[in-house]
Amino acid sequence: MHLYRAYVGPPSTEGKSGTQEATGQAVSTARPPTGKRLKKTPEKKTGNKDCKADIAFLIDGSFNIGQRRFNLQKNFVGKVALMLGIGTEGPHVGLVQASEHPKIEFYLKNFTSAKDVLFAIKEVGFRGGNSNTGKALKHTAQKFFTVDAGVRKGIPKVAVVFIDGWPSDDIEEAGIVAREFGVNVFIVSVAKPIPEELGMVQDVAFVDKAVCRSNGFFSYHMPNWFGTTKYVKPLVQKLCTHEQMMCSKTCYNSVNIAFLIDGSSSVGDSNFRLMLEFVSNIAKTFEISDIGAKIAAVQFTYDQRTEFSFTDYSTKENVLAVIRNIRYMSGGTATGDAISFTVRNVFGPIRESPNKNFLVVVTDGQSYDDVRGPAAAAHDAGITIFSVGVAWAPLDDLRDMASKPKESHAFFTREFTGLEPIVSDVIRGICRDFLESQQ
């Protein structure tokens, strides 16, 4: 136990490194010759570039763990933070304490050196209360991992959740929210419930419900808080294995969505604006970027016009501005031809994209040509179709175009104003299909 706490004698003999030790730095890393330390600085500042991750340590601050074990937990987190190689170009870390109510102790952007992080961890006070880990994890996904709080683009978001015993609340829903937000959840469970305690546990499978994937990679167990030094390195290795971070891909950042917009004369100018609003409201939900979601739009009558392709714009502002400025064509309705055109000219050039492909068709009338053949070809090419019909659009056409199950991929409204409530149905459908494709 002494070893664990890494007590190295009175501060007067150790000077500065004594305070480092107390925060949990492994004894062997104390380097007396100051000359060596100076040489290390440039690499220290930039950190470990091979382990770029934005990491939240979610520590247990409940009465369950108690003050003494809480301090041992902080020591362990300090050792993990130190070994990660924190720096401007390396991993960034922050800390959230779970108790009755979650408290964000410090954010990703607050510190970029291991020394400052260790000091901040040391300063964290024990809160007590129930171990509402689910509540804290949800709070972390929604409030900690934001751009304002220091999240970096294209870098894995990771939450390392420490649970002493078991959570007091439901953690399953929090796990779902975290996955939706693209957070890779690891659970470090300490002192698992013994058989006599199982009756008190709300959900015995709480670890599998919360982790990113229940494949064993995201769960980590330590028997107790004593002698944990040997557990530091294997955990750090997991946190730096980025190709395993399956939850970084979400429906919001890993999809290509093309909109096929009916510009026929039966729509009319003001209704055409409502269609564009519908398209904008779906598009703006997604994380559009050069490495994220991509949006394209085609307008059709008897002819087709690519308004913009997937590679034309890589920011949300630009995409929304272009959608607003689409000019109404007016003419007949050949939806089948338009689907074939879009598959060939819009999806064709991005065949190699790792994103999942979606096509949203918005039409207000009967197509003069066959839609079934072109839609089947699109399905075969791995494109999921949502069909949205207004006014005179025949239900048969909508069902023929839609992917299976038809009832969750085909929508109809009598009025153009009825498009608004369908926005959330389409977004939910895209996310559901995306998640199913990832399993």
Side-chain angles (χ1 to χ4, degrees):
M1 186 190 139
H2 266 81
L3 260 179
Y4 176 71
R5 283 194 135 160
Y7 177 67
V8 288
S12 55
T13 61
E14 278 289 324
K16 199 161 176 199
S17 101
T19 55
Q20 287 254 44
E21 291 302 329
T23 57
Q25 185 172 334
V27 180
S28 60
T29 55
R31 296 183 297 273
T34 47
K36 260 191 192 168
R37 187 170 280 183
L38 286 171
K39 270 186 206 156
K40 295 285 278 197
T41 12
E43 183 217 348
K44 266 279 169 60
K45 277 208 173 78
T46 56
N48 179 5
K49 292 181 183 172
D50 295 331
C51 184
K52 275 196 165 177
D54 287 338
I55 302 171
F57 290 112
L58 207 156
I59 63 172
D60 190 336
S62 66
F63 287 138
N64 215 10
I65 193 170
Q67 177 79 61
R68 180 159 160 261
R69 294 199 308 248
F70 179 76
N71 288 339
L72 292 175
Q73 174 183 225
K74 286 202 304 179
N75 276 355
F76 180 75
V77 172
K79 288 179 186 177
V80 172
L82 199 67
M83 193 177 263
L84 279 167
I86 294 161
T88 49
E89 305 289 308
H92 290 181
V93 306
L95 192 91
V96 181
Q97 185 175 171
S99 53
E100 194 69 45
H101 303 289
K103 185 188 177 201
I104 296 175
E105 302 287 355
F106 58 90
Y107 287 96
L108 293 164
K109 64 176 179 189
N110 294 137
F111 310 108
T112 53
S113 84
K115 192 165 115 272
D116 294 341
V117 166
L118 288 178
F119 186 75
I121 292 171
K122 197 175 167 224
E123 293 295 291
V124 171
F126 175 61
R127 288 170 67 81
N130 277 324
S131 55
N132 289 331
T133 315
K135 192 175 178 181
L137 178 55
K138 205 169 170 183
H139 185 71
T140 304
Q142 293 169 331
K143 301 283 190 286
F144 176 92
F145 286 111
T146 64
V147 175
D148 292 344
V151 160
R152 294 168 291 174
K153 189 168 137 186
I155 285 174
K157 298 189 283 236
V158 178
V160 184
V161 183
F162 291 89
I163 299 178
D164 185 286
W166 62 89
S168 316
D169 62 350
D170 174 42
I171 200 168
E172 184 175 7
E173 191 203 341
I176 294 168
V177 170
R179 286 190 286 278
E180 271 189 6
F181 277 82
V183 179
N184 296 277
V185 177
F186 285 80
I187 299 279
V188 178
S189 55
V190 184
K192 280 188 178 153
I194 55 171
E196 297 83 274
E197 294 170 330
L198 286 175
M200 295 184 268
V201 183
Q202 195 178 331
D203 187 346
V204 182
F206 66 85
V207 172
D208 281 349
K209 300 278 175 70
V211 287
C212 163
R213 294 277 190 281
S214 55
N215 57 4
F217 180 75
F218 294 92
S219 45
Y220 197 68
H221 181 66
M222 301 193 299
N224 54 49
W225 289 109
F226 302 98
T228 53
T229 307
K230 64 176 177 287
Y231 293 103
V232 174
K233 195 175 175 187
L235 179 59
V236 168
Q237 282 169 338
K238 278 180 184 260
L239 300 182
C240 293
T241 314
H242 292 170
E243 57 279 10
Q244 297 266 17
M245 303 288 182
M246 296 148 142
C247 288
S248 297
K249 283 183 175 301
T250 69
C251 65
Y252 299 110
N253 66 19
S254 299
V255 293
N256 300 319
I257 306 169
F259 292 93
L260 190 50
I261 307 162
D262 187 341
S264 61
S265 28
S266 53
V267 174
D269 212 31
S270 60
N271 286 335
F272 187 71
R273 293 289 128 210
L274 289 175
M275 272 187 173
L276 295 183
E277 212 170 284
F278 171 75
V279 169
S280 287
N281 287 338
I282 293 173
K284 73 179 183 197
T285 312
F286 294 86
E287 292 167 31
I288 301 164
S289 78
D290 49 346
I291 53 168
K294 305 263 191 296
I295 306 290
V298 172
Q299 186 181 172
F300 71 98
T301 54
Y302 282 141
D303 293 318
Q304 305 84 28
R305 183 170 79 201
T306 302
E307 301 293 352
F308 59 98
S309 72
F310 286 124
T311 49
D312 287 344
Y313 303 103
S314 58
T315 71
K316 191 177 292 191
E317 295 68 40
N318 288 351
V319 165
L320 296 178
V322 182
I323 293 170
R324 262 198 310 276
N325 292 320
I326 290 176
R327 292 192 326 279
Y328 175 45
M329 282 166 74
S330 188
T333 312
T335 317
D337 270 356
I339 293 172
S340 300
F341 172 89
T342 307
V343 171
R344 191 172 57 250
N345 298 302
V346 177
F347 286 102
I350 56 141
R351 222 173 269 119
E352 302 303 308
S353 166
N355 289 0
K356 184 161 169 55
N357 293 324
F358 292 91
L359 174 61
V360 180
V361 182
V362 195
T363 179
D364 86 320
Q366 170 105 42
S367 177
Y368 290 110
D369 61 359
D370 167 60
V371 295
R372 196 175 297 174
H379 300 155
D380 290 345
I383 300 164
T384 301
I385 299 182
F386 286 88
S387 59
V388 180
V390 193
W392 307 107
L395 295 178
D396 287 350
D397 275 9
L398 297 177
R399 290 180 64 81
D400 285 344
M401 289 187 282
S403 290
K404 290 176 180 156
K406 303 285 183 186
E407 50 282 357
S408 57
H409 291 84
F411 301 95
F412 177 78
T413 169
R414 291 227 166 278
E415 309 289 333
F416 281 87
T417 48
L419 284 171
E420 182 49 39
I422 298 175
V423 169
S424 56
D425 292 329
V426 173
I427 294 165
R428 262 202 307 274
I430 289 172
C431 283
R432 183 194 55 234
D433 289 350
F434 175 82
L435 277 174
E436 281 173 12
S437 75
Q438 294 295 294
Q439 293 308 331

